Amino acid sequence: MAELLVKMEDIDKSFAGVHALSRARFELYAGEVHALVGENGAGKSTLMKILTGVYSKDSGRIYIKGQEVEIQNPRVAQNLGISIIHQELNLMPHLTVAQNIFIGREPRKGIKFMLDEQELNRRARELLDTIHMDLDPKARVSNLTVAKQQMVEIAKALSIKAEVIIMDEPTSALAEAEIEELFRIIHHLKSEGKGIIYISHRLEELKRVADRVTVMRDGRYIDTVKIGEVTREQIISMMVGREIYETASAGAENSNEVVLEVKNLRRGRTIKDVSFKLKKGEILGFAGLMGAGRTEVARAIFGADPIDEGEIYVKGRKVHIKNPGDAVKHGIGYLSEDRKRYGLALGMDVETNIVMAAFEKFLGLLGWIRQDKTRLEARTRIEELKIKTPTLKQKVKFLSGGNQQKVIMAKWLTRNCDILIFDEPTRGIDVGAKSEIYKLLNELVKEGKSIIMISSELPEILRMSHRIVVMCEGRVTGELSATEATQERIMYYATMR
Amino acid sequence: MDNKVTQKKSLLHSDAAQKLLAFGSLIILFIVFSLASPNFAKFDNIVGILLATAVNGILALGVTFVIITGGIDLSIGTGMTFAAVMTAVFITNWKLPIIIGVVGGILMGGLCGFINGIIISKMKVPPFVATLGMMMATKGLSLVISGTKPIYFNDTPAYRQIAMGSISGIPNAVLIFFVAAIIANIILTRTILGRYDFALGSNEEATRLSGINVDAWKTAIYTLCGLFFGLAGVLMASRLNSAQPALGQGYEMDAIAAAVIGGTSLSGGEGTILGTVIGAFIMSVLTNGLRILSVPQEWQIVVTGTIVVMAVYLDIIRRR
């Protein structure tokens, strides 16, 4: 039997009287990949923050290799060989790869405060070579792709001789090929006897990478099972505590009316030649690897970035979209993949966020805002989209990811947008909320809206789309109908150069 | 292949390009003023420009460290005056040896910086507010301690030599500025303080999660900034042969402008000492040149303001 690296038992934690964890537990053996799953708010992150010294536990015990320990701060966790790779990568973009890997543990020379930059780069080179990572120690991190940045984080974890590596949603920003590379590295780490805690919302992945899975719900431990002995559906029902059915794609009852046509769109090196049509009442999936140019196309159509060449037709009329204001006037709404940065005014309340893009609809005599009207509109939308919020005045930052996404949807619906571009609509959203978002997408197209859905999750694309456009390196390389699309076919076009 | 293209492009957009841009602007300003007025390029005037740069330059060096963390220090101008007044109190009123007065003055600056650092890191008061408070407090204290009157160094003529003595025609103040710049550059690029300075400005949370004592390093950086404005105060007092308690406000903006013109990013994570030095020179060449061309002082300020905005705008274009 392998060594027991981590044992957490009866962990309690409350925030302002609300139980975030109650009697939670977790075990990790050397050479094991142990998945930790649960809906948002199930307590996974809190439990891991306790293990890494970010939060302190109220009660309970933690044993590392059989020794009971108190982990008061991140430094203690680091010294115990525990390392976490965060979902929002925690790197310093202005520093180089080597500087990031050894941050806080820089080799010194002469007097204590002087850095030894040569030694730093040499050690980084050595480390990267042992795990076969193709990275330049002197490259600035901001110039790397997300996948490479993640490699830097893993290298950083290994450099502190971490034996326990926690990966929080490591694949959420990766394309298929990059995921393969990540899994290769995970297998390598496993063979070296490291223990890996793998947090993910993508249950499809667990079979490929994990040995065991622990399910949490509402801050409690539910069960730990071997991954081979459980189906995906069983995991989901443990997570939500009830059987749920994901909505299947609503049959293609769309008309042949083309609401948006893009012809020969070009922009710099990112969009080389893109043409496609969007029909009324359909969900058009945009598939492709990271960097294929899908988000860039969306931003160009929305007027967020200028285009070099190309024509855009909305409902048959040629339009010139120079900025997002023009796009909105033509009924195009864009829901960014980075909700918190581009989609919401986080510090403002639900009502304001919903009516924000359409204030002119609610103006009174002298230009003041009719609060009775905005309140009514917000109430209607909240009901329509089933947004879970205690009041209209709740600040959006306190809502869950799924409800934040719904607030953005409400915003564009209030603005009367008929063409909605969703960029990674379910990134970082838990399983339960995901199926609600899918249901809403289906309802929207039934009402005659048209949707472009960019997604890196193939099952999502396959389940939801009526047609699928596949992009690779700035070009449209294929178009598939819902019936002919399979994961393999999409990947074939997505890797076609 | 795409990768290589990106790398080349980023090289073009690198710090080197920034410095070239700033340095180029400095040269162009120099040539334009030389052509416009025969008095501009004369030795005495050049020395004047160097001398005028010294105090503002040293302030800018200190604030560069703070701005790289993503913070700001508004108390450097009046903090400088406070250090000058304290130096005068030590030397003229208390009759302490000059060296004690000088070290004491610099340390008073450091103390102000240290308090800024504690308020910002431990009490979590935003840098803008914390240092705004320090700006007012030091301004008031300078007036209180001096009784609102200048304190002169008439009994200690040697004190004036600190700034105004010269080696082969170059005033000591200028030499001290250059030495300070070299030390600042070593601290910023070769020591862990410099490394954590950039790390803080680049991603403070990540720095904290890497096990680094963020509060302590931040306090150290504000203290360092304080030591620099303490030094500026000592030089200022020496140049004027007196501590002028009403002086100081407004200096912080010139110093921040110098750092920003030199490519230090107000959002943190980026900046160089060479850039700041060039930025400080651009500021004083501009002021000096406009004065020589008899542009009224009111208009000089308008031009300087315009230049600051233009410099930052050019930097934004370059980054696209």
Side-chain angles (χ1 to χ4, degrees):
Chain A
M1 194 72 195
E3 186 181 15
L4 183 59
L5 289 178
V6 177
K7 186 178 165 77
M8 302 176 83
E9 53 182 29
D10 293 337
I11 307 288
D12 275 15
K13 176 74 185 172
S14 313
F15 294 103
V18 181
H19 270 282
L21 289 176
S22 94
R23 311 199 55 157
R25 56 189 151 108
F26 191 79
E27 281 179 0
L28 179 73
Y29 286 95
E32 175 188 39
V33 178
H34 193 150
L36 180 59
V37 300
E39 292 194 282
N40 283 353
K44 297 168 299 192
S45 316
T46 311
L47 189 66
M48 289 303 114
K49 280 182 177 159
I50 287 172
L51 184 58
T52 49
V54 177
Y55 296 156
S56 55
K57 58 183 169 22
D58 295 344
S59 64
R61 291 165 300 284
I62 303 174
Y63 302 89
I64 302 294
K65 296 184 177 177
Q67 291 284 317
E68 183 164 1
V69 293
E70 286 296 327
I71 305 176
Q72 299 99 335
N73 58 54
R75 182 126 237 175
V76 174
Q78 212 179 56
N79 292 339
L80 288 167
I82 301 166
S83 189
I84 183 160
I85 292 158
H86 291 271
Q87 186 179 0
E88 286 98 14
L89 294 171
N90 264 301
L91 293 169
M92 279 113 319
H94 298 89
L95 303 187
T96 68
V97 170
Q99 288 168 355
N100 265 284
I101 292 176
F102 290 103
I103 188 80
R105 295 162 294 114
E106 293 80 2
R108 318 281 172 82
K109 66 179 175 191
I111 40 173
K112 214 180 139 217
F113 286 108
M114 301 301 280
L115 295 164
D116 188 344
E117 205 70 359
Q118 266 181 337
E119 173 68 8
L120 179 80
N121 286 322
R122 196 190 59 74
R123 280 196 207 169
R125 178 78 274 157
E126 210 174 83
L127 177 75
L128 292 169
D129 284 346
T130 55
I131 38 180
H132 311 292
M133 280 185 190
D134 176 29
L135 279 174
D136 176 8
K138 290 180 190 164
R140 207 171 124 126
V141 163
S142 58
N143 294 340
L144 302 177
T145 62
V146 177
K148 298 253 162 157
Q149 292 184 5
Q150 202 168 50
M151 305 268 158
V152 177
E153 284 252 34
I154 294 173
K156 183 175 163 186
L158 294 175
S159 76
I160 61 165
K161 310 262 182 295
E163 293 184 71
V164 176
I165 299 174
I166 304 162
M167 297 188 180
D168 189 1
E169 296 281 353
T171 56
S172 63
L174 301 193
E176 201 56 35
E178 294 164 337
I179 292 175
E180 286 304 322
E181 176 69 6
L182 176 72
F183 286 177
R184 186 187 66 73
I185 288 169
I186 290 178
H187 281 294
H188 178 80
L189 298 176
K190 228 176 102 166
S191 67
E192 299 215 314
K194 314 279 186 203
I196 291 162
I197 304 174
Y198 191 93
I199 301 174
S200 181
H201 279 122
R202 293 176 162 186
L203 301 179
E204 310 87 45
E205 284 171 6
L206 301 188
K207 295 257 176 207
R208 286 163 66 193
V209 69
D211 300 304
R212 290 194 297 164
V213 55
T214 287
V215 182
M216 290 185 72
R217 187 199 327 148
D218 302 331
R220 286 163 207 277
Y221 169 87
I222 302 298
D223 203 0
T224 300
V225 286
K226 286 204 175 113
I227 200 81
E229 297 170 1
V230 66
T231 65
R232 185 162 169 268
E233 287 66 32
Q234 284 171 319
I235 296 176
I236 292 177
S237 70
M238 280 195 278
M239 281 166 62
V240 297
R242 63 194 133 88
E243 301 287 332
I244 62 153
Y245 301 98
E246 289 174 31
T247 45
S249 173
E253 49 198 324
N254 44 307
S255 68
N256 276 326
E257 186 192 338
V258 174
V259 289
L260 176 74
E261 180 170 8
V262 172
K263 277 187 189 167
N264 306 106
L265 192 70
R266 280 175 225 274
R267 168 176 158 75
R269 285 180 295 112
T270 49
I271 309 174
K272 284 170 189 153
D273 184 9
V274 169
S275 306
F276 67 89
K277 290 177 187 172
L278 174 69
K279 290 176 196 160
K280 186 175 173 161
E282 81 168 341
I283 298 178
L284 180 65
F286 259 66
L289 302 175
M290 205 66 145
R294 295 167 299 162
T295 297
E296 287 76 3
V297 168
R299 287 179 58 91
I301 296 172
F302 191 58
D305 297 323
I307 59 172
D308 297 340
E309 242 179 275
E311 293 166 3
I312 299 172
Y313 297 84
V314 173
K315 293 180 184 130
R317 279 202 4 244
K318 186 170 176 182
V319 295
H320 294 278
I321 296 174
K322 292 194 200 69
N323 53 54
D326 291 345
V328 172
K329 257 179 235 147
H330 292 296
I332 303 174
Y334 173 57
L335 290 84
S336 160
E337 58 184 323
D338 195 343
R339 290 190 282 280
K340 292 184 180 163
R341 245 174 93 191
Y342 300 117
L344 291 165
L346 283 175
M348 300 185 82
D349 59 52
V350 174
E351 179 186 330
T352 309
N353 270 281
I354 291 176
V355 299
M356 194 161 54
F359 271 135
E360 62 271 25
K361 276 170 73 176
F362 309 104
L363 293 186
L365 249 180
L366 294 168
W368 68 72
I369 293 162
R370 291 278 303 270
Q371 294 215 349
D372 52 332
K373 283 193 180 176
T374 58
R375 208 170 301 145
L376 183 70
E377 176 76 25
R379 279 223 182 85
T380 319
R381 295 296 175 193
I382 285 171
E383 212 153 292
E384 181 185 345
L385 301 180
K386 300 192 184 61
I387 300 171
K388 274 185 215 132
T389 173
T391 68
L392 289 176
K393 295 292 171 202
Q394 175 77 322
K395 285 187 180 169
V396 167
K397 66 177 163 195
F398 298 122
L399 300 185
S400 71
N403 282 303
Q404 288 182 350
Q405 182 69 293
K406 288 188 194 170
V407 170
I408 305 176
M409 288 166 80
K411 178 170 97 177
W412 291 118
L413 293 177
T414 300
R415 194 67 180 77
N416 296 334
C417 288
D418 299 328
I419 301 168
L420 295 168
I421 307 175
F422 285 84
D423 200 346
E424 304 287 358
T426 62
R427 171 171 294 171
I429 290 178
D430 61 69
V431 177
K434 260 187 189 179
S435 38
E436 268 191 73
I437 300 275
Y438 295 149
K439 215 186 280 171
L440 282 172
L441 292 181
N442 281 332
E443 275 167 24
L444 289 175
V445 291
K446 259 186 216 147
E447 285 171 20
K449 313 265 183 212
S450 311
I451 292 175
I452 293 175
M453 184 181 78
I454 300 170
S455 172
S456 295
E457 292 188 42
L458 287 181
E460 177 170 288
I461 285 265
L462 287 166
R463 186 160 52 228
M464 296 303 300
S465 315
H466 299 114
R467 276 188 310 134
I468 298 163
V469 168
V470 190
M471 282 187 66
C472 178
E473 294 191 347
R475 289 173 213 282
V476 171
T477 47
E479 195 185 308
L480 297 160
S481 71
T483 44
E484 57 191 12
T486 62
Q487 297 218 11
E488 290 72 24
R489 280 201 188 141
I490 292 176
M491 286 317 292
Y492 170 77
Y493 287 121
T495 52
M496 200 163 83
R497 318 252 138 165
Chain B
M1 207 210 85
D2 259 9
N3 239 339
K4 272 185 193 146
V5 175
T6 340
Q7 271 172 13
K8 248 184 212 152
K9 199 177 163 201
S10 63
L11 200 72
L12 211 109
H13 284 209
S14 66
D15 297 347
Q18 161 66 35
K19 262 171 243 153
L20 218 63
L21 195 73
F23 195 64
S25 322
L26 181 58
I27 300 291
I28 290 168
L29 274 179
F30 209 88
I31 293 171
V32 168
F33 284 130
S34 302
L35 293 177
S37 161
N39 292 327
F40 181 78
K42 281 188 177 152
F43 183 78
D44 281 355
N45 191 48
I46 302 291
V47 169
I49 292 174
L50 288 170
L51 201 54
T53 314
V55 167
N56 184 40
I58 290 173
L59 289 179
L61 292 176
V63 84
T64 298
F65 284 89
V66 167
I67 296 176
I68 289 173
T69 66
I72 196 78
D73 191 342
L74 299 177
S75 67
I76 53 177
T78 56
M80 167 186 82
T81 302
F82 178 67
V85 168
M86 290 313 291
T87 306
V89 167
F90 293 148
I91 295 174
T92 302
N93 296 7
W94 296 2
K95 314 284 182 210
L96 293 173
I98 288 179
I99 180 71
I100 305 270
V102 168
V103 172
I106 295 174
L107 289 180
M108 291 314 283
L111 179 68
C112 295
F114 178 75
I115 296 170
N116 278 336
I118 293 290
I119 295 173
I120 291 162
S121 63
K122 292 288 177 200
M123 292 158 64
K124 310 289 176 210
V125 176
F128 191 96
V129 178
T131 60
L132 180 70
M134 182 58 77
M135 172 171 116
M136 294 170 168
T138 46
K139 183 181 176 183
L141 278 174
S142 299
L143 292 168
V144 170
I145 292 169
S146 64
T148 72
K149 289 190 190 68
I151 310 175
Y152 291 91
F153 293 92
N154 291 336
D155 308 336
T156 48
Y159 185 74
R160 196 168 150 73
Q161 294 306 309
I162 293 173
M164 301 311 284
S166 63
I167 298 171
S168 57
I170 313 275
N172 289 345
V174 176
L175 298 171
I176 292 171
F177 168 48
F178 285 139
V179 171
I182 291 167
I183 292 172
N185 193 46
I186 290 173
I187 295 175
L188 190 62
T189 58
R190 303 275 170 82
T191 70
I192 47 173
L193 182 80
R195 176 62 40 82
Y196 296 163
D197 195 10
F198 284 108
L200 275 169
S202 195
N203 188 343
E204 182 170 336
E205 183 62 9
T207 310
R208 195 172 69 85
L209 293 175
S210 301
I212 290 161
N213 188 340
V214 164
D215 290 354
W217 287 105
K218 212 189 257 185
T219 307
I221 287 161
Y222 278 91
T223 307
L224 181 69
C225 178
L227 293 171
F228 274 105
F229 67 64
L231 175 63
V234 168
L235 290 184
M236 186 75 168
S238 170
R239 232 183 91 190
L240 301 175
N241 199 30
S242 63
Q244 300 283 343
L247 223 66
Q249 203 163 9
Y251 277 71
E252 69 281 348
M253 289 305 160
D254 284 351
I256 292 166
V260 169
I261 289 175
T264 307
S265 161
L266 279 172
S267 46
E270 271 176 278
T272 59
I273 293 300
L274 183 58
T276 295
V277 170
I278 292 171
F281 274 117
I282 289 179
M283 293 288 287
S284 47
V285 164
L286 206 62
T287 315
N288 181 283
L290 292 173
R291 197 170 53 224
I292 283 191
L293 295 182
S294 321
V295 175
Q297 208 197 344
E298 304 76 40
W299 281 105
Q300 289 175 26
I301 306 170
V302 175
V303 173
T304 315
T306 314
I307 296 281
V308 171
V309 175
M310 264 169 50
V312 175
Y313 178 62
L314 272 177
D315 193 38
I316 290 170
I317 292 178
R318 184 184 63 85
R319 275 164 214 268
R320 276 196 190 136

